[in-house]
Amino acid sequence: DALRLILRYAFDELNLHRVGLDVISSNARAIRTYEKVGFQHEGTMRSAVLRDGSRHDRILMGILRHEWQDQKPGRNPEQEAIL
């Protein structure tokens, strides 16, 4: 999927330590997608967005390199600790 490809590029090619984003709290579908690939909630900016006459929170999310690496398929962290 596109989000996993972007994260792989960010961590494996650009050698980034952290990737962050913010999303409007009313976008539940996006929040679930980000959580599914490993993003963690890092904070909330209350009433930070005015959209269609309504105020919404901005949810701050992030994922660290080791969190991304820990969820890669076929990876065995216990085996790596032995090596």
Side-chain angles (χ1 to χ4, degrees):
D1 112 286
L3 190 52
R4 292 182 203 281
L5 182 64
I6 291 168
L7 288 173
R8 188 174 75 209
Y9 182 74
F11 292 123
D12 295 344
E13 300 298 324
L14 297 178
N15 200 29
L16 297 179
H17 174 70
R18 178 184 181 283
V19 174
L21 60 84
D22 63 81
V23 61
I24 298 172
S25 61
S26 61
N27 194 345
R29 181 185 241 173
I31 294 168
R32 279 193 308 275
T33 300
Y34 299 138
E35 290 171 338
K36 195 182 231 184
V37 297
F39 279 87
Q40 303 290 317
H41 289 253
E42 295 183 334
T44 302
M45 297 176 69
R46 299 178 300 149
S47 296
V49 176
L50 178 61
R51 175 166 287 177
D52 299 326
S54 296
R55 293 250 172 225
H56 301 274
D57 294 346
R58 279 176 57 194
I59 307 297
L60 307 175
M61 303 180 81
I63 184 170
L64 302 176
R65 173 195 299 278
H66 73 85
E67 294 168 341
W68 167 252
Q69 290 173 333
D70 288 350
Q71 66 180 351
K72 282 186 177 177
R75 184 174 180 276
N76 185 346
E78 292 177 7
Q79 182 66 25
E80 289 178 11
I82 295 170
L83 302 174

Short mmCIF file of all heavy atoms in Angstrom, two decimals, residues 33-76:
data_model
loop_
_atom_site.label_atom_id
_atom_site.label_comp_id
_atom_site.label_asym_id
_atom_site.label_seq_id
_atom_site.Cartn_x
_atom_site.Cartn_y
_atom_site.Cartn_z
N THR A 33 -6.28 4.22 9.47
CA THR A 33 -5.24 3.82 8.52
C THR A 33 -3.85 4.08 9.08
O THR A 33 -2.96 3.23 9.00
CB THR A 33 -5.43 4.55 7.17
OG1 THR A 33 -6.70 4.22 6.64
CG2 THR A 33 -4.34 4.18 6.18
N TYR A 34 -3.65 5.25 9.66
CA TYR A 34 -2.34 5.59 10.23
C TYR A 34 -2.00 4.68 11.40
O TYR A 34 -0.87 4.22 11.53
CB TYR A 34 -2.31 7.06 10.67
CG TYR A 34 -2.53 8.04 9.54
CD1 TYR A 34 -3.32 9.16 9.70
CD2 TYR A 34 -1.95 7.85 8.29
CE1 TYR A 34 -3.53 10.06 8.66
CE2 TYR A 34 -2.15 8.73 7.25
CZ TYR A 34 -2.94 9.84 7.45
OH TYR A 34 -3.14 10.72 6.41
N GLU A 35 -2.99 4.39 12.24
CA GLU A 35 -2.76 3.49 13.37
C GLU A 35 -2.39 2.09 12.88
O GLU A 35 -1.53 1.42 13.46
CB GLU A 35 -4.00 3.41 14.26
CG GLU A 35 -4.26 4.67 15.03
CD GLU A 35 -5.60 4.67 15.74
OE1 GLU A 35 -6.52 3.92 15.34
OE2 GLU A 35 -5.73 5.46 16.71
N LYS A 36 -3.02 1.68 11.82
CA LYS A 36 -2.80 0.33 11.28
C LYS A 36 -1.35 0.12 10.84
O LYS A 36 -0.82 -0.99 10.97
CB LYS A 36 -3.74 0.10 10.10
CG LYS A 36 -3.90 -1.32 9.66
CD LYS A 36 -4.82 -1.37 8.47
CE LYS A 36 -5.90 -2.36 8.70
NZ LYS A 36 -6.78 -2.52 7.55
N VAL A 37 -0.70 1.16 10.33
CA VAL A 37 0.70 1.02 9.91
C VAL A 37 1.68 1.36 11.03
O VAL A 37 2.89 1.29 10.82
CB VAL A 37 1.03 1.84 8.64
CG1 VAL A 37 0.21 1.35 7.46
CG2 VAL A 37 0.85 3.32 8.85
N GLY A 38 1.17 1.73 12.21
CA GLY A 38 2.04 1.89 13.36
C GLY A 38 2.17 3.28 13.94
O GLY A 38 2.90 3.48 14.92
N PHE A 39 1.49 4.27 13.37
CA PHE A 39 1.55 5.62 13.94
C PHE A 39 0.92 5.63 15.32
O PHE A 39 -0.09 4.96 15.56
CB PHE A 39 0.83 6.62 13.03
CG PHE A 39 1.64 7.09 11.86
CD1 PHE A 39 1.65 6.38 10.67
CD2 PHE A 39 2.41 8.24 11.94
CE1 PHE A 39 2.40 6.79 9.59
CE2 PHE A 39 3.16 8.67 10.87
CZ PHE A 39 3.16 7.95 9.69
N GLN A 40 1.51 6.42 16.22
CA GLN A 40 1.01 6.57 17.58
C GLN A 40 0.46 7.99 17.77
O GLN A 40 0.99 8.93 17.19
CB GLN A 40 2.16 6.37 18.58
CG GLN A 40 2.86 5.04 18.47
CD GLN A 40 1.98 3.91 18.93
OE1 GLN A 40 1.31 4.03 19.96
NE2 GLN A 40 1.98 2.83 18.20
N HIS A 41 -0.57 8.11 18.60
CA HIS A 41 -1.08 9.44 18.96
C HIS A 41 -0.04 10.12 19.84
O HIS A 41 0.43 9.54 20.81
CB HIS A 41 -2.40 9.32 19.73
CG HIS A 41 -3.55 8.89 18.90
ND1 HIS A 41 -4.55 9.74 18.53
CD2 HIS A 41 -3.84 7.70 18.35
CE1 HIS A 41 -5.42 9.08 17.78
NE2 HIS A 41 -5.01 7.84 17.67
N GLU A 42 0.34 11.33 19.47
CA GLU A 42 1.35 12.06 20.24
C GLU A 42 0.78 13.32 20.90
O GLU A 42 1.40 13.87 21.79
CB GLU A 42 2.52 12.45 19.34
CG GLU A 42 3.28 11.23 18.83
CD GLU A 42 4.48 11.59 18.00
OE1 GLU A 42 4.50 12.69 17.40
OE2 GLU A 42 5.40 10.78 17.94
N GLY A 43 -0.38 13.74 20.45
CA GLY A 43 -0.96 14.92 21.06
C GLY A 43 -2.19 15.39 20.30
O GLY A 43 -2.53 14.86 19.25
N THR A 44 -2.83 16.40 20.87
CA THR A 44 -4.03 16.97 20.27
C THR A 44 -3.96 18.49 20.38
O THR A 44 -3.65 19.03 21.45
CB THR A 44 -5.30 16.48 21.02
OG1 THR A 44 -5.33 15.05 20.96
CG2 THR A 44 -6.56 17.04 20.40
N MET A 45 -4.23 19.13 19.27
CA MET A 45 -4.37 20.59 19.27
C MET A 45 -5.87 20.86 19.22
O MET A 45 -6.52 20.66 18.19
CB MET A 45 -3.65 21.19 18.07
CG MET A 45 -2.16 20.96 18.09
SD MET A 45 -1.32 21.57 16.62
CE MET A 45 -1.51 23.32 16.84
N ARG A 46 -6.41 21.25 20.35
CA ARG A 46 -7.86 21.39 20.49
C ARG A 46 -8.40 22.56 19.69
O ARG A 46 -7.82 23.63 19.67
CB ARG A 46 -8.23 21.52 21.96
CG ARG A 46 -7.81 20.29 22.76
CD ARG A 46 -8.12 20.40 24.23
NE ARG A 46 -7.42 21.55 24.80
CZ ARG A 46 -7.90 22.27 25.82
NH1 ARG A 46 -9.04 21.98 26.37
NH2 ARG A 46 -7.20 23.29 26.27
N SER A 47 -9.49 22.30 18.99
CA SER A 47 -10.20 23.32 18.20
C SER A 47 -9.28 24.10 17.27
O SER A 47 -9.40 25.31 17.11
CB SER A 47 -10.95 24.28 19.12
OG SER A 47 -11.96 23.61 19.83
N ALA A 48 -8.35 23.41 16.65
CA ALA A 48 -7.32 24.06 15.84
C ALA A 48 -7.73 24.26 14.38
O ALA A 48 -7.08 25.00 13.66
CB ALA A 48 -6.03 23.25 15.89
N VAL A 49 -8.82 23.63 13.96
CA VAL A 49 -9.22 23.71 12.55
C VAL A 49 -10.68 24.17 12.48
O VAL A 49 -11.54 23.65 13.19
CB VAL A 49 -9.07 22.33 11.85
CG1 VAL A 49 -9.58 22.38 10.43
CG2 VAL A 49 -7.63 21.85 11.91
N LEU A 50 -10.92 25.12 11.60
CA LEU A 50 -12.30 25.55 11.32
C LEU A 50 -12.64 25.06 9.92
O LEU A 50 -12.03 25.47 8.94
CB LEU A 50 -12.41 27.07 11.39
CG LEU A 50 -13.78 27.66 11.08
CD1 LEU A 50 -14.82 27.15 12.09
CD2 LEU A 50 -13.72 29.18 11.09
N ARG A 51 -13.59 24.14 9.84
CA ARG A 51 -13.98 23.57 8.56
C ARG A 51 -15.50 23.52 8.49
O ARG A 51 -16.15 22.97 9.36
CB ARG A 51 -13.40 22.17 8.39
CG ARG A 51 -13.90 21.51 7.11
CD ARG A 51 -13.13 20.32 6.71
NE ARG A 51 -11.83 20.74 6.21
CZ ARG A 51 -10.90 19.91 5.83
NH1 ARG A 51 -11.11 18.62 5.92
NH2 ARG A 51 -9.75 20.34 5.37
N ASP A 52 -16.03 24.10 7.43
CA ASP A 52 -17.49 24.12 7.22
C ASP A 52 -18.24 24.67 8.43
O ASP A 52 -19.29 24.16 8.82
CB ASP A 52 -18.01 22.72 6.87
CG ASP A 52 -17.40 22.18 5.59
OD1 ASP A 52 -17.14 22.99 4.66
OD2 ASP A 52 -17.19 20.95 5.50
N GLY A 53 -17.67 25.69 9.05
CA GLY A 53 -18.33 26.34 10.17
C GLY A 53 -18.20 25.62 11.50
O GLY A 53 -18.75 26.08 12.50
N SER A 54 -17.48 24.51 11.54
CA SER A 54 -17.30 23.75 12.79
C SER A 54 -15.82 23.69 13.15
O SER A 54 -14.96 23.61 12.28
CB SER A 54 -17.82 22.32 12.63
OG SER A 54 -19.20 22.31 12.39
N ARG A 55 -15.56 23.69 14.44
CA ARG A 55 -14.20 23.56 14.95
C ARG A 55 -13.89 22.08 15.15
O ARG A 55 -14.73 21.31 15.62
CB ARG A 55 -14.04 24.29 16.27
CG ARG A 55 -14.16 25.78 16.12
CD ARG A 55 -12.82 26.41 16.33
NE ARG A 55 -12.88 27.83 16.00
CZ ARG A 55 -11.97 28.42 15.29
NH1 ARG A 55 -10.93 27.77 14.84
NH2 ARG A 55 -12.06 29.70 15.03
N HIS A 56 -12.65 21.71 14.80
CA HIS A 56 -12.18 20.32 14.96
C HIS A 56 -10.79 20.32 15.58
O HIS A 56 -10.00 21.24 15.36
CB HIS A 56 -12.10 19.61 13.59
CG HIS A 56 -13.41 19.56 12.88
ND1 HIS A 56 -14.33 18.58 13.08
CD2 HIS A 56 -13.93 20.39 11.94
CE1 HIS A 56 -15.37 18.80 12.30
NE2 HIS A 56 -15.16 19.90 11.60
N ASP A 57 -10.51 19.26 16.32
CA ASP A 57 -9.17 19.07 16.87
C ASP A 57 -8.23 18.58 15.76
O ASP A 57 -8.66 17.92 14.81
CB ASP A 57 -9.18 18.01 17.98
CG ASP A 57 -9.97 18.45 19.20
OD1 ASP A 57 -10.29 19.64 19.31
OD2 ASP A 57 -10.25 17.57 20.03
N ARG A 58 -6.94 18.91 15.92
CA ARG A 58 -5.90 18.33 15.08
C ARG A 58 -5.19 17.28 15.92
O ARG A 58 -4.72 17.55 17.02
CB ARG A 58 -4.87 19.37 14.65
CG ARG A 58 -5.31 20.19 13.49
CD ARG A 58 -4.33 21.28 13.13
NE ARG A 58 -3.00 20.80 12.83
CZ ARG A 58 -1.94 21.59 12.77
NH1 ARG A 58 -2.05 22.88 12.98
NH2 ARG A 58 -0.76 21.09 12.48
N ILE A 59 -5.15 16.05 15.41
CA ILE A 59 -4.49 14.95 16.09
C ILE A 59 -3.07 14.85 15.54
O ILE A 59 -2.88 14.75 14.33
CB ILE A 59 -5.23 13.62 15.85
CG1 ILE A 59 -6.72 13.73 16.21
CG2 ILE A 59 -4.54 12.46 16.58
CD1 ILE A 59 -7.00 14.01 17.64
N LEU A 60 -2.07 14.89 16.42
CA LEU A 60 -0.67 14.75 16.03
C LEU A 60 -0.28 13.29 16.21
O LEU A 60 -0.55 12.69 17.25
CB LEU A 60 0.21 15.64 16.89
CG LEU A 60 -0.18 17.12 16.95
CD1 LEU A 60 0.70 17.87 17.93
CD2 LEU A 60 -0.13 17.74 15.58
N MET A 61 0.34 12.73 15.18
CA MET A 61 0.72 11.32 15.20
C MET A 61 2.15 11.18 14.71
O MET A 61 2.63 12.01 13.94
CB MET A 61 -0.22 10.49 14.32
CG MET A 61 -1.68 10.60 14.71
SD MET A 61 -2.77 9.62 13.67
CE MET A 61 -2.56 8.03 14.46
N GLY A 62 2.82 10.12 15.14
CA GLY A 62 4.18 9.89 14.70
C GLY A 62 4.55 8.42 14.80
O GLY A 62 3.90 7.65 15.51
N ILE A 63 5.59 8.06 14.07
CA ILE A 63 6.15 6.72 14.13
C ILE A 63 7.66 6.84 14.10
O ILE A 63 8.21 7.65 13.36
CB ILE A 63 5.62 5.82 12.99
CG1 ILE A 63 6.13 4.38 13.14
CG2 ILE A 63 5.94 6.40 11.63
CD1 ILE A 63 5.46 3.39 12.19
N LEU A 64 8.33 6.07 14.94
CA LEU A 64 9.79 6.08 15.01
C LEU A 64 10.35 4.90 14.21
O LEU A 64 9.67 3.89 14.01
CB LEU A 64 10.25 5.97 16.46
CG LEU A 64 9.75 7.05 17.40
CD1 LEU A 64 10.21 6.78 18.83
CD2 LEU A 64 10.20 8.43 16.94
N ARG A 65 11.61 5.03 13.80
CA ARG A 65 12.25 4.00 12.99
C ARG A 65 12.13 2.61 13.64
O ARG A 65 11.76 1.65 12.98
CB ARG A 65 13.72 4.33 12.77
CG ARG A 65 14.48 3.21 12.06
CD ARG A 65 15.98 3.38 12.17
NE ARG A 65 16.41 4.60 11.56
CZ ARG A 65 16.62 4.76 10.25
NH1 ARG A 65 16.45 3.75 9.44
NH2 ARG A 65 17.01 5.91 9.77
N HIS A 66 12.45 2.51 14.93
CA HIS A 66 12.43 1.18 15.55
C HIS A 66 11.01 0.61 15.60
O HIS A 66 10.83 -0.61 15.53
CB HIS A 66 13.09 1.21 16.94
CG HIS A 66 12.28 1.87 18.00
ND1 HIS A 66 11.32 1.22 18.72
CD2 HIS A 66 12.30 3.15 18.46
CE1 HIS A 66 10.78 2.05 19.58
NE2 HIS A 66 11.35 3.23 19.45
N GLU A 67 9.99 1.46 15.71
CA GLU A 67 8.61 0.97 15.68
C GLU A 67 8.28 0.40 14.31
O GLU A 67 7.61 -0.62 14.19
CB GLU A 67 7.65 2.09 16.03
CG GLU A 67 7.81 2.58 17.45
CD GLU A 67 7.09 3.88 17.75
OE1 GLU A 67 6.75 4.63 16.80
OE2 GLU A 67 6.87 4.15 18.94
N TRP A 68 8.76 1.07 13.27
CA TRP A 68 8.54 0.61 11.90
C TRP A 68 9.27 -0.71 11.67
O TRP A 68 8.72 -1.67 11.13
CB TRP A 68 9.02 1.68 10.91
CG TRP A 68 9.13 1.22 9.50
CD1 TRP A 68 10.28 0.99 8.80
CD2 TRP A 68 8.06 0.92 8.61
NE1 TRP A 68 9.97 0.58 7.54
CE2 TRP A 68 8.63 0.53 7.39
CE3 TRP A 68 6.68 0.95 8.72
CZ2 TRP A 68 7.87 0.17 6.29
CZ3 TRP A 68 5.93 0.59 7.62
CH2 TRP A 68 6.51 0.20 6.44
N GLN A 69 10.52 -0.78 12.10
CA GLN A 69 11.32 -1.99 11.89
C GLN A 69 10.77 -3.17 12.67
O GLN A 69 10.83 -4.30 12.20
CB GLN A 69 12.79 -1.72 12.27
CG GLN A 69 13.47 -0.79 11.30
CD GLN A 69 14.86 -0.38 11.73
OE1 GLN A 69 15.18 -0.36 12.92
NE2 GLN A 69 15.69 -0.03 10.76
N ASP A 70 10.25 -2.92 13.85
CA ASP A 70 9.71 -4.00 14.69
C ASP A 70 8.51 -4.69 14.08
O ASP A 70 8.20 -5.82 14.43
CB ASP A 70 9.33 -3.48 16.08
CG ASP A 70 10.53 -3.16 16.93
OD1 ASP A 70 11.66 -3.51 16.53
OD2 ASP A 70 10.35 -2.53 18.00
N GLN A 71 7.82 -4.03 13.16
CA GLN A 71 6.62 -4.63 12.57
C GLN A 71 6.84 -5.17 11.16
O GLN A 71 5.91 -5.65 10.53
CB GLN A 71 5.47 -3.63 12.59
CG GLN A 71 5.67 -2.43 11.71
CD GLN A 71 4.49 -1.49 11.80
OE1 GLN A 71 3.47 -1.81 12.38
NE2 GLN A 71 4.63 -0.33 11.20
N LYS A 72 8.09 -5.12 10.66
CA LYS A 72 8.36 -5.64 9.31
C LYS A 72 8.11 -7.14 9.28
O LYS A 72 8.51 -7.86 10.20
CB LYS A 72 9.80 -5.35 8.90
CG LYS A 72 10.03 -3.94 8.46
CD LYS A 72 11.45 -3.79 7.93
CE LYS A 72 11.70 -2.40 7.42
NZ LYS A 72 13.09 -2.25 6.98
N PRO A 73 7.47 -7.64 8.22
CA PRO A 73 7.20 -9.08 8.10
C PRO A 73 8.49 -9.88 8.08
O PRO A 73 9.49 -9.46 7.49
CB PRO A 73 6.48 -9.21 6.76
CG PRO A 73 6.07 -7.84 6.37
CD PRO A 73 6.97 -6.89 7.10
N GLY A 74 8.46 -11.03 8.76
CA GLY A 74 9.61 -11.92 8.75
C GLY A 74 10.71 -11.53 9.71
O GLY A 74 11.72 -12.19 9.82
N ARG A 75 10.53 -10.44 10.43
CA ARG A 75 11.55 -9.99 11.38
C ARG A 75 11.32 -10.66 12.71
O ARG A 75 10.21 -10.76 13.19
CB ARG A 75 11.47 -8.47 11.55
CG ARG A 75 12.56 -7.94 12.45
CD ARG A 75 12.52 -6.41 12.47
NE ARG A 75 13.57 -5.92 13.32
CZ ARG A 75 13.47 -5.80 14.65
NH1 ARG A 75 12.36 -6.13 15.25
NH2 ARG A 75 14.47 -5.35 15.36
N ASN A 76 12.39 -11.12 13.32
CA ASN A 76 12.32 -11.78 14.63
C ASN A 76 13.22 -11.03 15.60
O ASN A 76 14.42 -11.31 15.67
CB ASN A 76 12.74 -13.25 14.50
CG ASN A 76 12.56 -14.01 15.81
OD1 ASN A 76 12.35 -13.41 16.86
ND2 ASN A 76 12.63 -15.32 15.74
#
